[in-house]
Amino acid sequence: MTLFLGIAALAALMASVVFLLLLPFTPGRRSRLLGGSIGFLFTSITCATLAYSSDLVKLAEYAREGKNGSPDDCGTAMDCWLDKSWRTATLYCPAIIERFAMRDFEWIDGLLEPKFNGFRLENPQGSAVTMIGDKLRFQNSSGEWLRMTYECDVLPDTDIIVDVRVDARD
């Protein structure tokens, strides 16, 4: 959620800068461009504030659990380990998974839908978390599209991807 709000704030800020740069070249529409620029600027400030406040809420939760306010120190909190693993897998695994395609590939997830919809714990002490997804199709040599299942093993304490597997779905 924080990443989405940060991206939305950046996009709105860039749109307001574009509107401000267009002001000198559109003499008859200055009031509309200025209004749009102010609107996008307000949106970017609102999104940035929401992203920052959600980070503050997360820090407060970690502090309340006795973790000195550090989200990097998960301890035995399983939701913290899963959150870190999900972020790492979402950022780095799709590019690695795409390299498994012999011909073409197609992600069939929605715009705001996550690519990983499940997980498996290899070791309850938090050594490796396997993130699992099935929102991908590969094209085989005869041109047919096959639905694939993919797994990404992540070490959440170091944000290292250990292994990636892709198999045809039954």
Side-chain angles (χ1 to χ4, degrees):
M1 183 68 170
T2 304
L3 178 65
F4 174 72
L5 289 173
I7 291 171
L10 184 62
L13 185 62
M14 288 178 11
S16 65
V17 168
V18 168
F19 274 133
L20 287 174
L21 289 175
L22 290 175
L23 277 177
F25 303 110
T26 55
R29 298 183 183 149
R30 285 188 183 183
S31 63
R32 288 170 68 188
L33 283 175
L34 188 60
S37 176
I38 291 171
F40 277 120
L41 191 59
F42 177 75
T43 304
S44 68
I45 291 170
T46 304
C47 288
T49 304
L50 288 173
Y52 180 70
S53 65
S54 68
D55 282 343
L56 287 179
V57 167
K58 194 176 278 190
L59 284 174
E61 288 173 3
Y62 285 119
R64 188 172 48 245
E65 292 173 4
K67 296 180 181 155
N68 299 327
S70 173
D72 294 330
D73 179 27
C74 286
T76 59
M78 191 54 61
D79 57 341
C80 175
W81 288 109
L82 290 175
D83 187 40
K84 289 180 72 170
S85 300
W86 183 81
R87 277 185 276 150
T88 302
T90 301
L91 287 173
Y92 302 113
C93 287
I96 299 169
I97 292 168
E98 291 167 2
R99 291 187 207 147
F100 280 85
M102 293 292 214
R103 298 184 84 193
D104 200 9
F105 64 89
E106 178 183 28
W107 289 101
I108 54 175
D109 58 331
L111 180 62
L112 298 176
E113 192 176 356
K115 291 189 181 342
F116 295 96
N117 53 3
F119 68 92
R120 181 176 58 239
L121 298 173
E122 298 296 326
N123 187 352
Q125 282 74 29
S127 64
V129 178
T130 301
M131 303 304 291
I132 305 167
D134 63 350
K135 296 175 172 64
L136 179 68
R137 296 190 315 173
F138 281 176
Q139 191 175 31
N140 64 12
S141 58
S142 63
E144 297 174 338
W145 289 96
L146 302 173
R147 190 91 181 256
M148 307 303 283
T149 301
Y150 45 90
E151 298 178 354
C152 185
D153 295 341
V154 179
L155 293 176
D157 52 347
T158 58
D159 292 336
I160 294 176
I161 297 171
V162 179
D163 191 20
V164 175
R165 293 172 298 282
V166 179
D167 293 314
R169 207 169 140 187
D170 297 330

